Amino acid sequence: PSARRPACERVAGLSRNVGESRCPAPSQQPSTRLLQLWRRCMRAMLTKADVTTAAASAACALSEEMPGFGLSSRLPPRFTALSAAREACLAAKGGCGGITLARGRSFGAAYRLHGAGATLERSPIGESAWLKRCDGSQCSLEPGIWRSAPAAALIATEENVPGAGGCCDLCLATASCVSFNHDAGPSLCALFTRRGGERHHSSNFTAGTVIRPPTPPPPPAPPWCAQ
């Protein structure tokens, strides 16, 4: 393997991680051995991409509807039905970050797709948003409970959030959010940077904590260099 590694690096500029390699074409006058390595590199990259895409697509889902919110990075396609927009967004692999709905007198209801990495923001025109999530994050809920937290940990208090599920989605969409309290009475959602401490009982409240999956380990060394 050590004798083959320099050739591999010449072909693909390999760092060791399949996902970081782009398998550029060999030099203008490649040897037969270099061409074989390059073809193996390309096959491995395509196989890994297919497996990764299939796994990501199977795990992706849209959040609950979030009334009053919009998303950045709007894409051109427009749909008249949520089902069609949902199908297109989930099929777009990593190219879609969510969907928004806007209503107007001139165009009726229009569902729009938004690019990957789209950020959630309050909509000045009363849109509704659905975020696409593919990392398996979820929330642990405690119905009938609210947790106290220091004022410095408060990120924001969002109004008109109809349920604890919507509050969970807002927290998941906020990178620094760790926990939340949802008050069903006035439909308020309070987001926090740390988990609350003391538990308090109240039928209107639901406390929630974000559960994010662990970071996956790095991929193994490229197989075409080890064989």
Side-chain angles (χ1 to χ4, degrees), residues 190-222:
L191 308 178
F192 301 98
T193 58
R194 55 180 289 184
R195 182 174 181 177
E198 187 176 355
R199 299 168 81 245
H200 305 271
H201 293 268
S202 177
S203 60
N204 279 346
F205 279 85
T206 298
T209 303
V210 168
I211 302 174
R212 301 187 190 274
T215 303

Short mmCIF file of all heavy atoms in Angstrom, two decimals, residues 190-222:
data_model
loop_
_atom_site.label_atom_id
_atom_site.label_comp_id
_atom_site.label_asym_id
_atom_site.label_seq_id
_atom_site.Cartn_x
_atom_site.Cartn_y
_atom_site.Cartn_z
N ALA A 190 -40.51 30.22 24.25
CA ALA A 190 -39.27 30.82 24.76
C ALA A 190 -38.12 29.87 24.49
O ALA A 190 -38.16 28.70 24.89
CB ALA A 190 -39.40 31.10 26.26
N LEU A 191 -37.09 30.37 23.82
CA LEU A 191 -35.92 29.57 23.43
C LEU A 191 -34.74 29.91 24.32
O LEU A 191 -34.49 31.08 24.62
CB LEU A 191 -35.57 29.82 21.97
CG LEU A 191 -36.70 29.67 20.95
CD1 LEU A 191 -36.18 30.00 19.54
CD2 LEU A 191 -37.29 28.28 20.99
N PHE A 192 -33.96 28.87 24.72
CA PHE A 192 -32.85 29.07 25.64
C PHE A 192 -31.57 28.40 25.14
O PHE A 192 -31.62 27.40 24.42
CB PHE A 192 -33.19 28.49 27.02
CG PHE A 192 -34.42 29.09 27.65
CD1 PHE A 192 -35.64 28.43 27.55
CD2 PHE A 192 -34.36 30.29 28.32
CE1 PHE A 192 -36.79 28.96 28.11
CE2 PHE A 192 -35.50 30.85 28.89
CZ PHE A 192 -36.71 30.18 28.80
N THR A 193 -30.44 28.96 25.56
CA THR A 193 -29.14 28.42 25.17
C THR A 193 -28.67 27.30 26.09
O THR A 193 -27.64 26.68 25.83
CB THR A 193 -28.06 29.52 25.18
OG1 THR A 193 -27.99 30.09 26.50
CG2 THR A 193 -28.36 30.61 24.17
N ARG A 194 -29.40 27.04 27.15
CA ARG A 194 -29.04 25.96 28.07
C ARG A 194 -30.31 25.33 28.60
O ARG A 194 -31.39 25.92 28.54
CB ARG A 194 -28.19 26.49 29.23
CG ARG A 194 -28.82 27.63 29.98
CD ARG A 194 -27.95 28.11 31.13
NE ARG A 194 -27.91 27.14 32.22
CZ ARG A 194 -27.28 27.35 33.37
NH1 ARG A 194 -26.61 28.48 33.57
NH2 ARG A 194 -27.29 26.43 34.31
N ARG A 195 -30.18 24.13 29.11
CA ARG A 195 -31.35 23.44 29.65
C ARG A 195 -31.77 24.10 30.96
O ARG A 195 -30.94 24.46 31.79
CB ARG A 195 -31.03 21.97 29.89
CG ARG A 195 -32.24 21.20 30.40
CD ARG A 195 -31.99 19.72 30.50
NE ARG A 195 -33.18 19.01 30.97
CZ ARG A 195 -33.28 17.70 31.08
NH1 ARG A 195 -32.25 16.94 30.77
NH2 ARG A 195 -34.38 17.14 31.52
N GLY A 196 -33.08 24.23 31.11
CA GLY A 196 -33.60 24.83 32.32
C GLY A 196 -33.34 23.96 33.55
O GLY A 196 -33.09 22.76 33.44
N GLY A 197 -33.43 24.59 34.70
CA GLY A 197 -33.15 23.88 35.93
C GLY A 197 -34.40 23.36 36.62
O GLY A 197 -34.94 22.32 36.27
N GLU A 198 -34.89 24.10 37.59
CA GLU A 198 -36.00 23.65 38.42
C GLU A 198 -37.28 23.46 37.60
O GLU A 198 -37.61 24.25 36.73
CB GLU A 198 -36.26 24.69 39.52
CG GLU A 198 -37.28 24.25 40.55
CD GLU A 198 -37.44 25.27 41.67
OE1 GLU A 198 -36.67 26.26 41.68
OE2 GLU A 198 -38.32 25.08 42.52
N ARG A 199 -37.99 22.36 37.88
CA ARG A 199 -39.23 22.04 37.18
C ARG A 199 -40.41 22.65 37.93
O ARG A 199 -40.50 22.58 39.15
CB ARG A 199 -39.40 20.52 37.08
CG ARG A 199 -38.29 19.85 36.32
CD ARG A 199 -38.32 18.33 36.48
NE ARG A 199 -39.31 17.73 35.58
CZ ARG A 199 -40.40 17.10 35.98
NH1 ARG A 199 -40.70 17.02 37.27
NH2 ARG A 199 -41.22 16.54 35.10
N HIS A 200 -41.36 23.22 37.15
CA HIS A 200 -42.58 23.80 37.70
C HIS A 200 -43.77 23.20 36.96
O HIS A 200 -43.72 22.99 35.75
CB HIS A 200 -42.58 25.33 37.54
CG HIS A 200 -41.36 25.99 38.12
ND1 HIS A 200 -41.29 26.41 39.42
CD2 HIS A 200 -40.16 26.30 37.53
CE1 HIS A 200 -40.10 26.96 39.64
NE2 HIS A 200 -39.40 26.90 38.51
N HIS A 201 -44.85 22.95 37.70
CA HIS A 201 -46.02 22.33 37.10
C HIS A 201 -47.05 23.38 36.67
O HIS A 201 -47.37 24.29 37.43
CB HIS A 201 -46.67 21.36 38.11
CG HIS A 201 -45.82 20.17 38.42
ND1 HIS A 201 -45.91 18.99 37.73
CD2 HIS A 201 -44.84 19.99 39.34
CE1 HIS A 201 -45.05 18.12 38.21
NE2 HIS A 201 -44.37 18.71 39.20
N SER A 202 -47.51 23.24 35.43
CA SER A 202 -48.56 24.11 34.90
C SER A 202 -49.16 23.44 33.68
O SER A 202 -48.42 23.04 32.75
CB SER A 202 -48.02 25.49 34.53
OG SER A 202 -49.04 26.29 33.96
N SER A 203 -50.47 23.28 33.65
CA SER A 203 -51.12 22.53 32.57
C SER A 203 -50.95 23.17 31.20
O SER A 203 -51.01 22.48 30.17
CB SER A 203 -52.62 22.37 32.88
OG SER A 203 -53.24 23.64 33.01
N ASN A 204 -50.73 24.50 31.14
CA ASN A 204 -50.60 25.18 29.85
C ASN A 204 -49.23 24.99 29.22
O ASN A 204 -49.05 25.24 28.03
CB ASN A 204 -50.86 26.68 30.01
CG ASN A 204 -52.34 27.01 30.03
OD1 ASN A 204 -53.17 26.17 29.69
ND2 ASN A 204 -52.66 28.21 30.46
N PHE A 205 -48.25 24.59 30.01
CA PHE A 205 -46.86 24.60 29.54
C PHE A 205 -46.38 23.23 29.08
O PHE A 205 -46.88 22.19 29.51
CB PHE A 205 -45.94 25.09 30.66
CG PHE A 205 -45.89 26.59 30.81
CD1 PHE A 205 -46.84 27.25 31.57
CD2 PHE A 205 -44.91 27.33 30.17
CE1 PHE A 205 -46.81 28.63 31.71
CE2 PHE A 205 -44.86 28.71 30.31
CZ PHE A 205 -45.82 29.36 31.07
N THR A 206 -45.37 23.28 28.21
CA THR A 206 -44.59 22.10 27.83
C THR A 206 -43.13 22.52 27.77
O THR A 206 -42.78 23.47 27.06
CB THR A 206 -45.01 21.54 26.46
OG1 THR A 206 -46.38 21.13 26.51
CG2 THR A 206 -44.15 20.34 26.08
N ALA A 207 -42.29 21.83 28.51
CA ALA A 207 -40.85 22.08 28.44
C ALA A 207 -40.24 21.10 27.46
O ALA A 207 -40.69 19.96 27.34
CB ALA A 207 -40.22 21.92 29.82
N GLY A 208 -39.23 21.55 26.75
CA GLY A 208 -38.60 20.69 25.75
C GLY A 208 -37.09 20.83 25.75
O GLY A 208 -36.55 21.89 26.07
N THR A 209 -36.43 19.74 25.40
CA THR A 209 -34.96 19.73 25.29
C THR A 209 -34.59 19.13 23.94
O THR A 209 -35.14 18.10 23.53
CB THR A 209 -34.33 18.89 26.40
OG1 THR A 209 -34.75 19.40 27.67
CG2 THR A 209 -32.81 18.94 26.32
N VAL A 210 -33.65 19.76 23.26
CA VAL A 210 -33.21 19.29 21.94
C VAL A 210 -32.27 18.10 22.10
O VAL A 210 -31.38 18.11 22.95
CB VAL A 210 -32.51 20.43 21.18
CG1 VAL A 210 -31.79 19.89 19.95
CG2 VAL A 210 -33.53 21.48 20.75
N ILE A 211 -32.49 17.10 21.28
CA ILE A 211 -31.59 15.94 21.23
C ILE A 211 -31.01 15.88 19.83
O ILE A 211 -31.72 15.63 18.85
CB ILE A 211 -32.36 14.63 21.53
CG1 ILE A 211 -33.03 14.72 22.90
CG2 ILE A 211 -31.43 13.43 21.46
CD1 ILE A 211 -33.92 13.54 23.21
N ARG A 212 -29.73 16.17 19.74
CA ARG A 212 -29.05 16.15 18.43
C ARG A 212 -28.18 14.90 18.34
O ARG A 212 -27.54 14.51 19.32
CB ARG A 212 -28.21 17.40 18.24
CG ARG A 212 -29.02 18.69 18.33
CD ARG A 212 -28.18 19.91 17.98
NE ARG A 212 -28.87 21.16 18.28
CZ ARG A 212 -29.73 21.76 17.46
NH1 ARG A 212 -29.98 21.22 16.29
NH2 ARG A 212 -30.31 22.89 17.80
N PRO A 213 -28.15 14.24 17.18
CA PRO A 213 -27.34 13.01 17.04
C PRO A 213 -25.86 13.32 17.14
O PRO A 213 -25.42 14.44 16.84
CB PRO A 213 -27.71 12.52 15.64
CG PRO A 213 -28.16 13.74 14.90
CD PRO A 213 -28.82 14.61 15.93
N PRO A 214 -25.06 12.36 17.58
CA PRO A 214 -23.60 12.59 17.68
C PRO A 214 -22.98 12.77 16.30
O PRO A 214 -23.50 12.30 15.29
CB PRO A 214 -23.09 11.31 18.34
CG PRO A 214 -24.13 10.27 18.01
CD PRO A 214 -25.44 11.01 17.99
N THR A 215 -21.88 13.47 16.26
CA THR A 215 -21.15 13.67 15.01
C THR A 215 -20.59 12.34 14.52
O THR A 215 -19.94 11.62 15.29
CB THR A 215 -19.98 14.66 15.22
OG1 THR A 215 -20.51 15.87 15.73
CG2 THR A 215 -19.26 14.91 13.90
N PRO A 216 -20.85 11.96 13.26
CA PRO A 216 -20.37 10.66 12.77
C PRO A 216 -18.85 10.64 12.69
O PRO A 216 -18.21 11.67 12.50
CB PRO A 216 -21.00 10.56 11.38
CG PRO A 216 -21.27 11.97 10.97
CD PRO A 216 -21.60 12.70 12.24
N PRO A 217 -18.24 9.46 12.83
CA PRO A 217 -16.78 9.35 12.73
C PRO A 217 -16.32 9.62 11.30
O PRO A 217 -17.10 9.50 10.35
CB PRO A 217 -16.50 7.90 13.13
CG PRO A 217 -17.77 7.17 12.79
CD PRO A 217 -18.88 8.16 13.05
N PRO A 218 -15.05 9.98 11.10
CA PRO A 218 -14.55 10.23 9.74
C PRO A 218 -14.56 8.94 8.92
O PRO A 218 -14.46 7.84 9.49
CB PRO A 218 -13.12 10.73 9.98
CG PRO A 218 -12.75 10.18 11.32
CD PRO A 218 -14.01 10.18 12.12
N PRO A 219 -14.71 9.05 7.60
CA PRO A 219 -14.72 7.85 6.75
C PRO A 219 -13.36 7.18 6.74
O PRO A 219 -12.34 7.81 7.06
CB PRO A 219 -15.08 8.41 5.37
CG PRO A 219 -14.66 9.84 5.41
CD PRO A 219 -14.89 10.29 6.82
N PRO A 220 -13.32 5.90 6.39
CA PRO A 220 -12.03 5.18 6.36
C PRO A 220 -11.15 5.65 5.23
O PRO A 220 -11.57 6.42 4.35
CB PRO A 220 -12.47 3.73 6.16
CG PRO A 220 -13.78 3.83 5.44
CD PRO A 220 -14.45 5.05 6.02
N ALA A 221 -9.90 5.19 5.23
CA ALA A 221 -8.96 5.54 4.17
C ALA A 221 -9.48 5.04 2.83
O ALA A 221 -10.18 4.04 2.76
CB ALA A 221 -7.60 4.92 4.47
N PRO A 222 -9.20 5.77 1.74
CA PRO A 222 -9.69 5.38 0.40
C PRO A 222 -9.30 3.96 0.05
O PRO A 222 -8.12 3.59 0.17
CB PRO A 222 -9.01 6.39 -0.52
CG PRO A 222 -8.69 7.55 0.34
CD PRO A 222 -8.39 6.98 1.69
#
